[in-house]
Amino acid sequence: MKTISKENYLKIIFSREEETGKPITTTYLADKLNVSKAAITDMARRLAAEELIAYERYHGIRTLPKGKKLAVEVIRKHRLWELFLLEVLNMNWSEVHDEAELLEHTTSDKLMNRIDKFLGHPKFDPHGDPIPNRNGKFPKTAKRMSLLESAEGKKYKIVRVNDASKDVIDFLSKIGIELGSEITVKKILPKNEGALIKNGRRLHSISGNIAAALFIAPAEKGRKR
């Protein structure tokens, strides 16, 4: 069976916890990591023994201070590597996530701080996710929503793209949509099945999967497209 590092577990638990404000279920982790519930339970007990998480059967998992600190460190490395690979090594937008997944576990804090300084202490990664500073503090983010929560006929700016799916990012690149692109929402399909959006003069029909991966904020009034 594929071995998943405890850092990956903590990163996913912390991120989901921040998103929902609730303890994480073993079912969610099993689906996310594509491992059995038994494997999740075993790892949860090990992480709890190290005082990285609090785990109680049927009550979910939540990170403890020690676990949150480690999760934030890994997230910081991942997002800085994504930006470095894109801006310095000119890698494709859709490639940097998978490479950063490998590098985040093997990079020292000293090297990461040097890369952070070299990049000018950036606040956001190439997909719009906030980068915590060396003290673990995240920058403030503007209010954002899922594209599926948008209002028809309104103009928005793409402020975040879920970087977990290379296929999603490849599709967006193909139709000319990237971080910062301005779109007009023409129609939201029922039952979260997708949306019809306009980017410049081009009209695009996107699936529910892609729409769910796009996060937007109202476009600045008076700004030219």
Side-chain angles (χ1 to χ4, degrees), residues 147 158 170-178 181-189 193-208 210-211 214 225:
L147 176 61
I158 305 295
D170 282 339
F171 174 81
L172 295 175
S173 298
K174 184 178 180 180
I175 65 174
I177 290 180
E178 58 187 18
S181 292
E182 289 191 6
I183 62 168
T184 299
V185 178
K186 306 299 289 184
K187 186 175 182 60
I188 299 294
L189 301 180
E193 291 180 353
L196 190 64
I197 63 173
K198 191 174 183 181
N199 177 31
R201 295 182 178 180
R202 300 177 65 187
L203 201 61
H204 305 286
S205 177
I206 61 176
S207 69
I210 292 172
L214 293 176
R225 301 179 64 173

Side-chain angles (χ1 to χ4, degrees), residues 75-97 100 119 122-131 144 158-163 169 172-173 177-181 213-214:
I75 288 170
R76 168 177 158 81
K77 291 175 181 179
H78 179 96
R79 294 176 181 174
L80 282 171
W81 268 124
E82 283 193 336
L83 197 60
F84 183 87
L85 294 171
L86 181 78
E87 294 192 352
V88 180
L89 299 187
N90 297 314
M91 289 186 67
N92 189 281
W93 189 37
S94 65
E95 297 175 322
V96 296
H97 175 77
L119 293 172
K123 295 185 182 298
F124 296 91
D125 74 5
H127 306 100
D129 286 314
I131 301 174
R144 52 183 68 179
I158 305 295
V159 295
R160 177 178 177 259
V161 178
N162 190 325
D163 62 359
I169 296 175
L172 295 175
S173 298
I177 290 180
E178 58 187 18
L179 207 65
S181 292
L214 293 176

Side-chain angles (χ1 to χ4, degrees), residues 51-118:
E51 298 183 343
L52 295 170
I53 66 168
Y55 168 64
E56 186 178 355
R57 195 175 182 184
Y58 306 123
H59 291 82
I61 301 167
R62 58 183 178 84
T63 50
L64 295 175
K66 184 179 172 182
K68 288 181 180 180
K69 182 176 184 297
L70 182 54
V72 171
E73 288 173 357
V74 178
I75 288 170
R76 168 177 158 81
K77 291 175 181 179
H78 179 96
R79 294 176 181 174
L80 282 171
W81 268 124
E82 283 193 336
L83 197 60
F84 183 87
L85 294 171
L86 181 78
E87 294 192 352
V88 180
L89 299 187
N90 297 314
M91 289 186 67
N92 189 281
W93 189 37
S94 65
E95 297 175 322
V96 296
H97 175 77
D98 288 343
E99 294 298 331
E101 282 285 318
L102 300 174
L103 292 164
E104 69 189 29
H105 303 294
T106 59
T107 309
S108 68
D109 291 337
K110 181 178 180 180
L111 175 58
M112 216 67 257
N113 289 335
R114 293 288 293 270
I115 289 176
D116 182 32
K117 183 178 179 180
F118 176 82

